[in-house]
Coordinates of all heavy atoms in Angstrom, one line a residue:
M1 N 46.8 4.5 41.5 CA 46.7 4.9 42.9 C 47.5 6.2 43.2 O 48.6 6.4 42.7 CB 47.1 3.8 43.9 CG 46.3 2.6 43.8 SD 44.6 2.9 44.3 CE 44.9 3.0 46.1
P2 N 47.0 7.0 44.1 CA 47.8 8.2 44.5 C 49.1 7.8 45.1 O 49.2 6.9 45.9 CB 46.9 9.0 45.5 CG 45.7 8.2 45.6 CD 45.8 6.9 44.9
R3 N 50.1 8.6 44.9 CA 51.4 8.4 45.5 C 51.4 8.5 47.0 O 52.3 8.1 47.7 CB 52.5 9.3 44.9 CG 52.6 9.1 43.4 CD 53.8 9.7 42.8 NE 54.2 10.9 43.5 CZ 55.5 11.4 43.4 NH1 56.4 10.7 42.8 NH2 55.8 12.5 44.0
A4 N 50.5 9.2 47.5 CA 50.4 9.5 49.0 C 50.3 8.1 49.7 O 50.5 8.1 50.9 CB 49.2 10.4 49.3
N5 N 49.8 7.1 49.0 CA 49.7 5.8 49.7 C 51.0 5.1 49.9 O 51.1 4.1 50.7 CB 48.7 4.9 48.9 CG 47.3 5.3 49.1 OD1 47.0 6.1 50.0 ND2 46.4 4.7 48.2
R6 N 52.0 5.6 49.3 CA 53.3 5.0 49.4 C 53.8 5.2 50.8 O 53.6 6.2 51.4 CB 54.3 5.7 48.4 CG 55.3 4.7 47.8 CD 56.0 5.3 46.7 NE 56.5 6.7 47.1 CZ 57.1 7.5 46.3 NH1 57.3 7.2 45.0 NH2 57.5 8.7 46.7
R7 N 54.5 4.2 51.3 CA 55.1 4.3 52.6 C 56.2 5.2 52.6 O 57.1 5.2 51.7 CB 55.5 2.9 53.1 CG 55.1 2.5 54.5 CD 55.6 1.2 54.8 NE 55.9 1.1 56.2 CZ 54.9 1.0 57.2 NH1 53.7 0.9 56.8 NH2 55.2 1.0 58.4
R8 N 56.3 6.1 53.6 CA 57.4 7.1 53.6 C 58.2 6.9 54.9 O 57.7 6.6 56.0 CB 56.8 8.5 53.6 CG 56.0 8.7 52.3 CD 55.4 10.1 52.4 NE 56.3 11.1 52.5 CZ 56.0 12.4 52.5 NH1 54.8 12.8 52.4 NH2 56.9 13.3 52.6
R9 N 59.5 7.2 54.7 CA 60.4 7.2 55.9 C 60.1 8.4 56.7 O 59.6 9.4 56.2 CB 61.9 7.3 55.4 CG 62.3 6.2 54.4 CD 62.8 4.9 55.1 NE 63.8 5.3 56.1 CZ 64.1 4.4 57.1 NH1 63.6 3.2 57.1 NH2 65.0 4.8 58.0
E10 N 60.5 8.4 58.0 CA 60.2 9.5 58.8 C 61.1 10.7 58.5 O 60.6 11.9 58.6 CB 60.5 9.2 60.3 CG 59.4 8.3 60.8 CD 59.5 8.2 62.3 OE1 60.5 8.7 62.9 OE2 58.5 7.6 62.9
E11 N 62.3 10.5 58.0 CA 63.1 11.6 57.7 C 63.2 11.8 56.2 O 63.6 10.9 55.5 CB 64.5 11.4 58.3 CG 64.5 11.4 59.8 CD 65.9 11.4 60.4 OE1 66.9 11.4 59.7 OE2 66.0 11.3 61.6
P12 N 62.9 13.0 55.7 CA 62.8 13.2 54.3 C 64.1 13.5 53.6 O 64.3 14.4 52.9 CB 61.9 14.4 54.2 CG 62.2 15.2 55.4 CD 62.6 14.2 56.5
R13 N 65.1 12.7 54.0 CA 66.5 13.1 53.5 C 66.8 12.6 52.1 O 67.7 13.0 51.5 CB 67.5 12.5 54.5 CG 67.6 11.0 54.6 CD 68.7 10.6 55.5 NE 68.5 11.1 56.8 CZ 69.3 10.8 57.9 NH1 70.3 10.0 57.7 NH2 69.1 11.3 59.0
A14 N 66.0 11.7 51.6 CA 66.4 11.0 50.3 C 65.5 11.6 49.2 O 65.6 11.0 48.1 CB 66.2 9.5 50.4
V15 N 64.8 12.6 49.4 CA 63.9 13.1 48.4 C 64.4 14.3 47.6 O 63.7 15.2 47.3 CB 62.5 13.5 49.1 CG1 61.4 13.6 48.0 CG2 62.1 12.5 50.1
G16 N 65.7 14.2 47.3 CA 66.3 15.3 46.5 C 66.5 16.6 47.3 O 66.2 16.6 48.4
G17 N 66.9 17.6 46.6 CA 67.2 18.9 47.3 C 68.4 18.8 48.1 O 69.3 17.9 47.9
S18 N 68.6 19.7 49.1 CA 69.8 19.8 49.8 C 69.8 18.8 51.0 O 68.8 18.3 51.4 CB 70.0 21.2 50.3 OG 68.9 21.5 51.1
L19 N 71.0 18.6 51.5 CA 71.1 17.8 52.7 C 70.7 18.6 53.9 O 70.8 19.9 53.9 CB 72.6 17.4 52.9 CG 73.1 16.4 51.9 CD1 74.6 16.2 52.0 CD2 72.4 15.0 52.1
P20 N 70.2 18.0 55.0 CA 69.8 18.7 56.2 C 71.0 19.4 56.8 O 72.1 18.9 56.8 CB 69.3 17.6 57.1 CG 69.2 16.4 56.3 CD 70.1 16.5 55.1
T21 N 70.7 20.6 57.4 CA 71.7 21.3 58.2 C 71.2 21.4 59.6 O 70.0 21.4 59.8 CB 72.0 22.7 57.6 OG1 70.7 23.4 57.5 CG2 72.6 22.6 56.3
S22 N 72.1 21.4 60.5 CA 71.6 21.4 61.9 C 71.6 22.9 62.4 O 72.5 23.7 62.1 CB 72.5 20.5 62.7 OG 73.1 21.1 63.7
V23 N 70.6 23.2 63.2 CA 70.4 24.6 63.6 C 70.0 24.6 65.1 O 69.2 23.7 65.4 CB 69.3 25.3 62.8 CG1 68.9 26.6 63.3 CG2 69.7 25.4 61.3
R24 N 70.5 25.5 65.9 CA 70.0 25.6 67.2 C 68.8 26.6 67.3 O 68.9 27.7 66.8 CB 71.1 26.0 68.2 CG 72.2 25.0 68.2 CD 73.0 24.9 69.5 NE 72.2 24.8 70.7 CZ 71.8 23.7 71.3 NH1 72.2 22.5 70.8 NH2 71.1 23.7 72.4
Y25 N 67.8 26.1 67.9 CA 66.6 27.0 67.9 C 65.7 26.6 69.1 O 65.5 25.4 69.3 CB 65.8 26.8 66.6 CG 64.5 27.5 66.6 CD1 64.3 28.9 66.9 CD2 63.3 26.8 66.3 CE1 63.1 29.5 66.9 CE2 62.1 27.4 66.3 CZ 62.0 28.7 66.6 OH 60.7 29.3 66.6
A26 N 65.2 27.5 69.8 CA 64.2 27.3 70.9 C 64.7 26.3 71.9 O 64.0 25.4 72.4 CB 62.9 26.9 70.3
G27 N 66.0 26.3 72.2 CA 66.6 25.5 73.2 C 66.9 24.1 72.8 O 67.3 23.3 73.6
G28 N 66.8 23.8 71.5 CA 67.1 22.5 71.0 C 67.9 22.5 69.7 O 68.1 23.6 69.2
E29 N 68.2 21.4 69.2 CA 68.9 21.3 68.0 C 67.9 20.7 66.9 O 67.2 19.7 67.2 CB 70.1 20.4 68.1 CG 71.0 20.4 66.8 CD 72.3 19.6 66.9 OE1 72.5 19.1 68.0 OE2 73.0 19.6 65.9
W30 N 67.9 21.3 65.8 CA 67.0 20.9 64.7 C 67.7 20.7 63.4 O 68.7 21.3 63.2 CB 65.9 22.1 64.5 CG 65.2 22.4 65.8 CD1 65.6 23.1 66.8 CD2 63.9 22.0 66.1 NE1 64.7 23.2 67.8 CE2 63.6 22.5 67.4 CE3 62.9 21.3 65.4 CZ2 62.3 22.3 68.0 CZ3 61.7 21.0 66.0 CH2 61.4 21.6 67.3
L31 N 67.1 19.8 62.6 CA 67.6 19.6 61.3 C 66.7 20.3 60.3 O 65.5 20.2 60.5 CB 67.7 18.1 61.0 CG 68.8 17.4 61.8 CD1 68.7 15.9 61.5 CD2 70.2 17.9 61.5
V32 N 67.3 21.0 59.4 CA 66.5 21.8 58.5 C 66.9 21.4 57.1 O 68.1 21.3 56.8 CB 66.8 23.3 58.7 CG1 66.0 24.2 57.7 CG2 66.6 23.7 60.1
R33 N 65.9 21.3 56.2 CA 66.2 20.9 54.9 C 65.3 21.7 53.9 O 64.1 21.9 54.2 CB 66.0 19.4 54.6 CG 66.7 18.9 53.4 CD 66.7 17.4 53.3 NE 65.4 16.9 53.0 CZ 65.0 16.7 51.7 NH1 65.8 17.1 50.7 NH2 63.9 16.3 51.4
A34 N 65.9 22.3 52.9 CA 65.2 23.0 51.9 C 64.5 22.1 51.0 O 65.1 21.1 50.5 CB 66.1 24.0 51.2
L35 N 63.2 22.4 50.7 CA 62.5 21.6 49.7 C 62.1 22.5 48.6 O 61.8 23.6 48.7 CB 61.2 21.0 50.4 CG 61.3 20.1 51.6 CD1 60.0 19.7 52.1 CD2 62.1 18.9 51.2
T36 N 62.1 21.9 47.4 CA 61.7 22.7 46.2 C 60.2 22.8 46.2 O 59.6 23.7 45.6 CB 62.1 22.0 44.9 OG1 61.5 20.7 44.8 CG2 63.6 21.8 44.9
G37 N 59.5 21.9 46.9 CA 58.0 21.9 46.8 C 57.5 21.1 45.6 O 56.3 20.9 45.5
A38 N 58.4 20.8 44.7 CA 57.9 20.1 43.5 C 57.3 18.7 43.8 O 56.4 18.3 43.1 CB 59.1 19.9 42.5
G39 N 57.7 18.1 44.9 CA 57.2 16.8 45.2 C 56.1 16.8 46.2 O 55.6 15.8 46.7
S40 N 55.6 18.0 46.6 CA 54.6 18.1 47.6 C 53.3 17.5 47.1 O 52.9 17.8 46.0 CB 54.4 19.6 48.0 OG 55.5 20.1 48.6
A41 N 52.6 16.8 48.0 CA 51.3 16.2 47.6 C 50.2 17.1 48.2 O 49.1 17.0 47.8 CB 51.2 14.8 48.1
R42 N 50.6 17.9 49.2 CA 49.5 18.7 49.8 C 50.2 20.0 50.4 O 51.4 20.1 50.5 CB 48.9 17.9 51.0 CG 49.8 17.6 52.1 CD 49.1 16.8 53.2 NE 49.9 16.4 54.3 CZ 50.0 17.2 55.4 NH1 49.3 18.3 55.5 NH2 50.8 16.8 56.4
G43 N 49.3 20.9 50.8 CA 49.9 22.1 51.4 C 50.1 21.9 52.9 O 49.6 20.9 53.5
Y44 N 50.9 22.7 53.5 CA 51.2 22.6 55.0 C 50.8 24.0 55.6 O 50.8 25.0 54.9 CB 52.6 22.3 55.2 CG 53.1 21.0 54.6 CD1 53.7 20.9 53.4 CD2 52.9 19.8 55.3 CE1 54.0 19.7 52.8 CE2 53.2 18.6 54.8 CZ 53.8 18.5 53.5 OH 54.2 17.3 53.0
L45 N 50.6 23.9 56.9 CA 50.4 25.2 57.7 C 51.7 25.6 58.3 O 52.3 24.9 59.0 CB 49.4 24.9 58.7 CG 48.8 26.2 59.4 CD1 47.9 26.9 58.3 CD2 47.9 25.8 60.5
C46 N 52.2 26.8 57.9 CA 53.4 27.3 58.4 C 53.2 27.8 59.8 O 52.3 28.6 60.1 CB 53.9 28.5 57.5 SG 55.2 29.4 58.2
P47 N 54.0 27.3 60.8 CA 53.9 27.7 62.2 C 54.3 29.1 62.4 O 54.0 29.7 63.5 CB 54.7 26.7 63.0 CG 55.7 26.2 62.0 CD 55.1 26.3 60.6
G48 N 55.1 29.7 61.5 CA 55.6 31.1 61.7 C 54.5 32.1 61.4 O 54.4 33.1 62.2
C49 N 53.6 31.9 60.4 CA 52.6 32.9 60.1 C 51.2 32.3 60.1 O 50.3 33.0 59.9 CB 53.0 33.5 58.7 SG 52.8 32.3 57.4
E50 N 51.1 31.0 60.3 CA 49.9 30.3 60.3 C 49.1 30.4 59.0 O 47.9 30.4 59.0 CB 49.0 30.8 61.5 CG 49.7 30.5 62.8 CD 48.8 30.7 64.0 OE1 48.1 31.8 64.1 OE2 48.7 29.8 64.9
E51 N 49.9 30.6 58.0 CA 49.3 30.6 56.6 C 49.7 29.3 55.9 O 50.7 28.7 56.2 CB 49.8 31.8 55.8 CG 49.6 33.1 56.5 CD 48.5 33.9 55.9 OE1 48.0 33.6 54.8 OE2 48.0 34.9 56.5
E52 N 48.9 29.0 54.9 CA 49.2 27.8 54.2 C 50.4 27.9 53.3 O 50.6 29.0 52.7 CB 48.0 27.4 53.3 CG 48.1 26.1 52.6 CD 47.0 25.8 51.6 OE1 46.2 26.7 51.4 OE2 47.0 24.7 51.0
I53 N 51.2 26.9 53.3 CA 52.3 26.8 52.3 C 51.7 26.0 51.1 O 51.4 24.8 51.2 CB 53.5 26.0 52.8 CG1 54.0 26.7 54.1 CG2 54.6 25.9 51.8 CD1 55.1 25.9 54.8
R54 N 51.5 26.7 50.0 CA 50.7 26.1 48.9 C 51.6 25.0 48.2 O 52.8 25.1 48.2 CB 50.3 27.2 47.9 CG 49.4 28.2 48.5 CD 49.0 29.2 47.5 NE 48.2 28.6 46.4 CZ 46.9 28.5 46.4 NH1 46.2 29.0 47.4 NH2 46.2 27.9 45.4
V55 N 50.9 24.0 47.7 CA 51.5 23.0 46.9 C 52.4 23.5 45.8 O 52.0 24.5 45.1 CB 50.5 22.0 46.3 CG1 51.1 21.0 45.4 CG2 49.7 21.3 47.4
G56 N 53.6 23.1 45.8 CA 54.6 23.5 44.7 C 55.4 24.7 45.2 O 56.2 25.2 44.4
T57 N 55.2 25.2 46.4 CA 56.0 26.3 46.9 C 57.3 25.8 47.6 O 57.2 24.9 48.4 CB 55.2 27.1 47.9 OG1 54.0 27.5 47.3 CG2 55.9 28.4 48.4
A58 N 58.4 26.4 47.2 CA 59.6 26.0 47.9 C 59.5 26.5 49.3 O 59.1 27.6 49.6 CB 60.8 26.7 47.2
H59 N 60.0 25.6 50.2 CA 59.9 25.9 51.7 C 61.0 25.1 52.4 O 61.7 24.4 51.8 CB 58.5 25.7 52.2 CG 58.0 24.3 52.1 ND1 57.5 23.8 51.0 CD2 58.0 23.3 53.1 CE1 57.1 22.5 51.2 NE2 57.4 22.2 52.5
V60 N 61.0 25.1 53.7 CA 61.9 24.3 54.5 C 61.1 23.4 55.4 O 60.0 23.7 55.8 CB 62.9 25.1 55.3 CG1 63.8 26.0 54.4 CG2 62.2 26.0 56.4
V61 N 61.7 22.2 55.7 CA 61.1 21.3 56.7 C 62.1 21.2 57.8 O 63.3 21.2 57.6 CB 60.8 20.0 56.0 CG1 62.0 19.3 55.4 CG2 60.1 19.1 57.1
V62 N 61.6 21.2 59.0 CA 62.4 21.3 60.2 C 61.9 20.2 61.2 O 60.7 20.0 61.4 CB 62.2 22.7 60.9 CG1 63.1 22.8 62.2 CG2 62.5 23.8 60.0
W63 N 62.9 19.5 61.8 CA 62.5 18.4 62.7 C 63.6 18.3 63.8 O 64.7 18.7 63.5 CB 62.2 17.1 62.0 CG 63.4 16.4 61.4 CD1 64.1 15.4 62.0 CD2 63.9 16.6 60.1 NE1 65.1 15.0 61.1 CE2 65.0 15.8 59.9 CE3 63.6 17.5 59.0 CZ2 65.7 15.7 58.8 CZ3 64.3 17.5 57.9 CH2 65.4 16.6 57.7
P64 N 63.2 17.7 64.9 CA 64.2 17.7 66.0 C 65.4 16.8 65.6 O 65.2 15.7 65.1 CB 63.4 17.0 67.2 CG 62.0 17.3 66.9 CD 61.9 17.3 65.4
A65 N 66.6 17.2 65.9 CA 67.8 16.5 65.6 C 67.9 15.1 66.3 O 68.5 14.2 65.8 CB 69.1 17.3 65.8
D66 N 67.3 15.1 67.5 CA 67.4 13.8 68.3 C 66.3 12.8 67.8 O 66.3 11.7 68.3 CB 67.3 14.1 69.8 CG 66.0 14.8 70.1 OD1 65.1 14.8 69.3 OD2 65.9 15.2 71.3
G67 N 65.5 13.3 66.9 CA 64.5 12.3 66.3 C 63.3 12.1 67.2 O 62.4 11.4 66.9
V68 N 63.3 12.7 68.4 CA 62.1 12.5 69.3 C 60.9 13.0 68.7 O 60.8 14.2 68.3 CB 62.4 13.1 70.7 CG1 61.2 13.1 71.6 CG2 63.6 12.5 71.4
G69 N 59.9 12.2 68.7 CA 58.6 12.7 68.2 C 58.5 12.3 66.7 O 57.4 12.3 66.2
G70 N 59.6 12.1 66.0 CA 59.5 11.7 64.6 C 58.7 12.7 63.8 O 58.8 13.9 63.9
A71 N 58.0 12.1 62.9 CA 57.2 12.9 61.9 C 56.2 13.9 62.5 O 55.9 14.9 62.0 CB 56.5 12.0 60.9
A72 N 55.8 13.5 63.7 CA 54.8 14.4 64.4 C 55.4 15.7 64.8 O 54.6 16.7 65.0 CB 54.2 13.7 65.7
H73 N 56.7 15.8 64.9 CA 57.3 17.0 65.3 C 57.9 17.7 64.1 O 58.6 18.8 64.3 CB 58.4 16.8 66.4 CG 57.9 16.6 67.7 ND1 57.2 15.4 68.1 CD2 57.9 17.3 68.8 CE1 56.8 15.5 69.3 NE2 57.2 16.7 69.8
R74 N 57.7 17.2 63.0 CA 58.2 17.9 61.8 C 57.3 19.1 61.5 O 56.1 19.0 61.6 CB 58.2 16.9 60.6 CG 59.4 17.1 59.7 CD 59.6 15.8 59.0 NE 58.6 15.5 58.0 CZ 58.3 14.3 57.5 NH1 59.1 13.3 57.9 NH2 57.4 14.1 56.7
R75 N 58.0 20.2 61.1 CA 57.2 21.4 60.8 C 57.7 21.9 59.4 O 58.9 21.9 59.1 CB 57.5 22.5 61.8 CG 57.0 22.2 63.2 CD 55.5 22.2 63.3 NE 55.1 22.1 64.7 CZ 54.9 20.9 65.3 NH1 55.2 19.8 64.6 NH2 54.5 20.9 66.5
H76 N 56.7 22.3 58.6 CA 57.0 22.9 57.3 C 56.9 24.4 57.5 O 55.8 24.9 58.0 CB 56.1 22.4 56.2 CG 56.3 21.0 55.9 ND1 57.0 20.5 54.8 CD2 56.0 19.8 56.6 CE1 57.0 19.2 54.7 NE2 56.5 18.8 55.8
W77 N 57.9 25.2 57.1 CA 57.9 26.6 57.2 C 58.1 27.2 55.9 O 58.8 26.7 55.0 CB 59.1 27.1 58.1 CG 59.0 26.8 59.6 CD1 59.2 25.6 60.2 CD2 58.9 27.7 60.6 NE1 59.1 25.7 61.5 CE2 59.0 27.0 61.8 CE3 58.8 29.1 60.7 CZ2 58.9 27.7 63.1 CZ3 58.8 29.8 61.9 CH2 58.8 29.0 63.1
H78 N 57.5 28.4 55.7 CA 57.9 29.2 54.5 C 59.4 29.5 54.8 O 59.8 29.8 55.9 CB 57.1 30.6 54.5 CG 55.7 30.4 54.2 ND1 54.7 30.7 55.1 CD2 55.1 30.0 53.0 CE1 53.5 30.5 54.5 NE2 53.7 30.1 53.3
S79 N 60.2 29.5 53.7 CA 61.6 29.8 53.8 C 61.8 31.2 54.5 O 62.7 31.3 55.4 CB 62.3 29.9 52.5 OG 62.0 28.6 51.8
V80 N 61.1 32.2 54.2 CA 61.2 33.5 54.8 C 60.8 33.5 56.2 O 61.5 34.1 57.1 CB 60.4 34.5 54.0 CG1 60.3 35.9 54.7 CG2 60.9 34.7 52.6
C81 N 59.8 32.8 56.6 CA 59.4 32.7 58.0 C 60.4 32.0 58.8 O 60.7 32.5 60.0 CB 58.0 32.0 58.1 SG 56.7 32.9 57.4
W82 N 61.0 31.0 58.3 CA 62.1 30.3 59.1 C 63.3 31.2 59.2 O 63.9 31.3 60.3 CB 62.5 29.0 58.3 CG 63.6 28.3 59.0 CD1 64.9 28.1 58.6 CD2 63.6 27.6 60.3 NE1 65.6 27.4 59.5 CE2 64.9 27.1 60.5 CE3 62.6 27.5 61.3 CZ2 65.2 26.4 61.7 CZ3 62.9 26.8 62.4 CH2 64.2 26.3 62.6
Q83 N 63.6 32.0 58.2 CA 64.8 32.9 58.3 C 64.5 33.9 59.4 O 65.4 34.4 60.1 CB 65.0 33.6 57.0 CG 65.7 32.7 56.0 CD 65.6 33.3 54.6 OE1 65.3 34.5 54.4 NE2 65.8 32.4 53.6
H84 N 63.3 34.3 59.6 CA 62.9 35.3 60.6 C 62.3 34.6 61.9 O 61.5 35.2 62.6 CB 62.0 36.3 60.0 CG 62.6 37.0 58.9 ND1 62.0 37.1 57.6 CD2 63.7 37.7 58.8 CE1 62.8 37.8 56.8 NE2 63.8 38.2 57.5
R85 N 62.6 33.4 62.1 CA 61.9 32.6 63.2 C 62.0 33.2 64.5 O 61.1 33.0 65.4 CB 62.5 31.2 63.2 CG 63.9 31.1 63.5 CD 64.4 29.6 63.3 NE 65.9 29.5 63.4 CZ 66.8 29.9 62.5 NH1 66.3 30.3 61.3 NH2 68.0 29.7 62.7
E86 N 63.1 33.9 64.8 CA 63.3 34.5 66.1 C 62.2 35.6 66.4 O 61.9 35.9 67.5 CB 64.7 35.1 66.3 CG 65.8 34.2 66.1 CD 65.8 33.0 67.1 OE1 65.1 33.1 68.1 OE2 66.5 32.0 66.9
R87 N 61.6 36.1 65.3 CA 60.6 37.1 65.5 C 59.2 36.4 65.4 O 58.2 37.1 65.4 CB 60.7 38.2 64.5 CG 61.8 39.2 64.8 CD 61.8 40.3 63.8 NE 62.8 40.0 62.8 CZ 62.7 40.4 61.5 NH1 61.7 41.2 61.2 NH2 63.6 40.1 60.6
R88 N 59.2 35.1 65.2 CA 57.9 34.4 65.0 C 57.6 33.7 66.3 O 58.4 33.6 67.2 CB 58.0 33.4 63.9 CG 58.4 34.0 62.6 CD 57.3 34.8 61.9 NE 57.8 35.3 60.7 CZ 57.0 36.0 59.8 NH1 55.7 36.1 60.1 NH2 57.4 36.4 58.7
R89 N 56.5 33.0 66.3 CA 56.1 32.2 67.5 C 57.0 31.0 67.6 O 57.5 30.5 66.5 CB 54.7 31.7 67.3 CG 53.7 32.8 67.6 CD 52.4 32.5 66.8 NE 52.2 31.1 66.6 CZ 51.3 30.3 67.3 NH1 50.6 30.9 68.3 NH2 51.2 29.1 67.0
P90 N 57.3 30.5 68.8 CA 58.1 29.3 68.9 C 57.3 28.1 68.3 O 56.1 28.2 68.0 CB 58.3 29.1 70.4 CG 57.2 29.9 71.0 CD 56.9 31.1 70.0
L91 N 57.9 27.0 68.2 CA 57.3 25.8 67.6 C 56.3 25.1 68.5 O 55.7 24.2 68.1 CB 58.4 24.8 67.2 CG 59.3 25.2 66.0 CD1 60.5 24.2 66.0 CD2 58.5 25.0 64.7
G92 N 56.2 25.6 69.7 CA 55.4 24.9 70.7 C 56.3 24.3 71.8 O 57.5 24.6 71.8
P93 N 55.7 23.6 72.7 CA 56.4 23.1 73.8 C 57.6 22.2 73.4 O 57.4 21.3 72.6 CB 55.4 22.3 74.6 CG 54.1 22.5 74.0 CD 54.3 23.1 72.7
I94 N 58.8 22.5 73.9 CA 59.9 21.7 73.6 C 60.3 21.0 74.9 O 60.4 21.5 76.0 CB 61.2 22.6 73.3 CG1 60.8 23.6 72.2 CG2 62.3 21.8 72.9 CD1 60.4 22.9 70.8
R95 N 60.4 19.7 74.8 CA 60.6 18.9 76.0 C 62.0 18.2 75.9 O 62.4 18.0 74.8 CB 59.6 17.8 76.2 CG 58.2 18.4 76.4 CD 57.2 17.4 76.8 NE 55.9 18.0 77.0 CZ 55.0 18.2 76.0 NH1 55.3 17.8 74.8 NH2 53.9 18.8 76.2
Ligands
ZN101 ZN1 54.9 31.4 57.0

């Protein structure tokens, strides 16, 4: 069976790579963690450039530090797009 069927925790903190760091962005606090991409099962759409993050590409995952919204508010960004996030579009409505 595909590993995607496995139940996953909302916060991807135990999947290797670095520990999350907290960042202030768009009026809120976010946790950011670098992913190697090695464990990716699918591509993601980067909100910074609206291009696909291809499977196996190192990137960052960002989610609200307060946990509101959980996985639905998690965003995968190209590492470069996240570094230049102030020049990119915001993540969407922040409540
Ligand atoms: Zn991007």
Side-chain angles (χ1 to χ4, degrees):
M1 293 297 284
R3 299 194 328 157
N5 283 348
R6 214 171 49 187
R7 226 179 149 77
R8 297 175 62 179
R9 305 272 313 164
E10 284 193 353
E11 295 186 5
R13 66 176 57 173
V15 194
S18 58
L19 291 170
T21 55
S22 123
V23 173
R24 295 209 51 93
Y25 171 56
E29 187 175 1
W30 301 78
L31 293 175
V32 183
R33 199 166 76 85
L35 300 178
T36 63
S40 299
R42 65 181 182 92
Y44 298 96
L45 196 66
C46 169
C49 64
E50 299 190 312
E51 305 255 345
E52 185 188 4
I53 302 169
R54 298 182 63 92
V55 173
T57 304
H59 62 278
V60 298
V61 59
V62 182
W63 69 95
D66 60 12
V68 173
H73 281 71
R74 215 156 68 200
R75 295 288 186 276
H76 292 255
W77 290 69
H78 292 113
S79 304
V80 171
C81 293
W82 177 249
Q83 283 164 19
H84 298 126
R85 61 192 174 277
E86 302 298 348
R87 280 182 270 151
R88 307 285 183 171
R89 287 151 30 100
L91 287 168
I94 308 294
R95 298 187 180 88

